[in-house]
Amino acid sequence: MKKHVVSLLLVSALCIGNLAGCGAKPAASGDAAPAEVITIKVGDNWAETHPMAVAIDKVFKQQVEEKSGGSIKVDVYHSGTLGNETELWDGVRNGAVEVAVIGTCMNQEFTTMLISDWPFLYRDIEHAKKVWTGAIAEELNGKFHEKFPETYILGWGPNSARTFTSNKKLESVDDFKGQKFRMPANPIHVGIAENLGASAQVIPLNELFSSLETGVVDGQDNGMVTVKSEALYEVQKYLYETNHIIATLEIITNAKFMDSLSEEQQQIIKDAAKAASEQAWTDYIASVDADRQFLIDNGVTVTPCTEEDKALIIEKIQPTLDKLYAENDWAKELVEKIQAVQ
């Protein structure tokens, strides 16, 4: 009997020493507390209905949290809650924000980022998606990290195909003359407005609605998705569907934070960012017709840009294009590489 009891005790001891062999989950060594959950703060400047914001919520956040088994928590802050684009860019560089979804406010420090706002660069939005989910994006990610070693780009999503809106009549190229347009802090946008005969005023996105409402400016340029998500249709009467720029939004992370993670955790975040970028492009492309109809239904006069008008716009903005090529020795090769993507 004593021998039987001793045998049972020995088996029990072996089970404790080798829990996997006895079908139990391994326990933490000693009485150590569970590993602390890692929290990622993600900031952007877009309403939660924007395709990029939706992709961050529905793809990036969910995929990271699920694939990490809950060891990584993602907190998303939309609509400039953590600051405007410049503040988010500063935040992700210094580590105050782990991930920022922003445009190219750093383009004066790294002029290659001007390519995101290059006018009339793509055949259509599908072409833009292929460029920014493919090899060219990967190549620029490396160059970006060389310039800003404190950051990594994780993905390139859609901002939108930009259109012009105004409180004043805007149905042809001639209608730009004398109007005041809010433009982002970007020499391409400012140059385009001025080439078309308008004046340009740089105003942050979070001040745009009130500037339009109070008449500080007559109009602005953004995609229809932004005109809808930011409710600009409430203070604008006309939309001219020029699609002059198909802009991008970059998912950028702090390098010190990223490098502190395990290889498995890093891969989870990279995969989730890539999936979010691709889904955002798909959703954006699918939303264009519905966004146009929404604006029409809400009283906005939407005028398509004819091929004749497009050619005229390109002719008028040639001074801006000439200046871009003259000042950026990388431009010709990169533009040709993008235009060659099939």
Side-chain angles (χ1 to χ4, degrees):
M1 179 67 179
K2 288 181 179 179
K3 186 176 181 180
H4 180 63
V5 171
V6 170
S7 297
L8 287 174
L9 290 172
L10 180 59
V11 171
S12 298
L14 289 171
C15 279
I16 293 171
N18 187 9
L19 287 170
C22 293
K25 292 182 179 179
S29 59
D31 295 322
E36 184 178 352
V37 174
I38 297 165
T39 299
I40 299 176
K41 295 189 296 296
V42 182
D44 67 32
N45 269 261
W46 309 101
E48 60 184 12
T49 56
H50 190 287
M52 196 67 192
V54 172
I56 291 296
D57 286 335
K58 302 297 184 184
V59 179
F60 182 79
K61 173 181 170 65
Q62 290 187 17
Q63 191 165 313
V64 169
E65 292 181 344
E66 290 173 5
K67 297 288 186 182
S68 70
S71 67
I72 303 176
K73 183 175 182 290
V74 179
D75 291 338
V76 184
Y77 300 86
H78 297 304
S79 300
T81 304
L82 298 182
N84 61 35
E85 282 198 318
T86 300
E87 291 165 339
L88 285 173
W89 170 232
D90 291 338
V92 78
R93 293 181 77 178
N94 64 34
V97 178
E98 286 76 26
V99 175
V101 184
I102 56 177
T104 56
C105 55
M106 73 296 293
N107 59 44
Q108 296 305 294
E109 294 178 82
F110 183 43
T111 60
T112 305
M113 296 304 286
L114 289 169
I115 198 64
S116 173
D117 297 280
W118 208 269
F120 299 106
L121 180 58
Y122 312 97
R123 294 184 296 276
D124 50 33
I125 305 174
E126 288 281 1
H127 178 204
K129 176 184 178 181
K130 289 179 181 178
V131 171
W132 297 117
T133 57
I136 289 176
E138 291 293 333
E139 179 183 334
L140 288 189
N141 289 351
K143 292 180 179 180
F144 190 90
H145 181 61
E146 288 177 9
K147 178 65 179 179
F148 305 112
E150 67 274 24
T151 67
Y152 296 112
I153 290 185
L154 299 175
W156 300 69
N159 183 333
S160 58
R162 299 183 83 101
T163 62
F164 282 98
T165 69
S166 181
N167 280 317
K168 296 180 179 179
K169 182 184 176 185
L170 188 60
E171 299 177 322
S172 71
V173 180
D174 291 338
D175 293 333
F176 284 96
K177 189 174 181 179
Q179 295 207 39
K180 296 178 294 181
F181 284 90
R182 173 269 177 183
M183 305 302 280
N186 183 306
I188 297 177
H189 293 259
V190 172
I192 289 173
E194 292 176 347
N195 291 161
L196 292 174
S199 60
Q201 185 167 340
V202 175
I203 297 172
L205 182 66
N206 60 0
E207 298 175 20
L208 177 54
F209 185 96
S210 61
S211 297
L212 294 169
E213 186 177 36
T214 57
V216 173
V217 287
D218 303 308
Q220 57 89 50
D221 86 318
N222 262 302
M224 290 186 291
V225 63
T226 305
V227 176
K228 177 183 176 183
S229 66
E230 299 297 319
L232 302 182
Y233 61 89
E234 295 180 1
V235 288
Q236 297 282 265
K237 298 177 182 178
Y238 297 90
L239 185 146
Y240 191 25
E241 197 174 347
T242 50
N243 297 332
H244 50 287
I245 292 170
I246 301 177
T248 61
L249 293 172
E250 290 69 64
I251 304 174
I252 304 176
T253 188
N254 176 267
K256 185 176 180 180
F257 161 74
M258 194 71 167
D259 293 342
S260 72
L261 303 177
S262 69
E263 289 186 10
E264 181 183 5
Q265 290 171 326
Q266 289 184 43
Q267 195 60 51
I268 287 170
I269 291 171
K270 290 176 184 177
D271 290 346
K274 181 179 180 181
S277 298
E278 291 179 351
Q279 187 63 53
W281 279 106
T282 299
D283 291 347
Y284 170 61
I285 291 168
S287 75
V288 171
D289 290 342
D291 289 343
R292 183 189 301 107
Q293 190 58 51
F294 174 89
L295 297 176
I296 292 171
D297 292 344
N298 280 271
V300 177
T301 298
V302 176
T303 302
C305 183
T306 65
E307 287 299 317
E308 182 181 5
D309 276 1
K310 178 181 173 181
L312 183 56
I313 291 172
I314 292 173
E315 178 184 333
K316 285 182 173 292
I317 69 169
Q318 195 61 47
T320 293
L321 285 167
D322 291 344
K323 188 170 186 289
L324 286 169
Y325 280 115
E327 294 179 349
N328 299 286
D329 56 8
W330 51 264
K332 185 175 185 296
E333 181 182 357
L334 183 53
V335 166
E336 289 176 352
K337 188 181 294 187
I338 287 172
Q339 291 176 337
V341 171
Q342 298 299 319

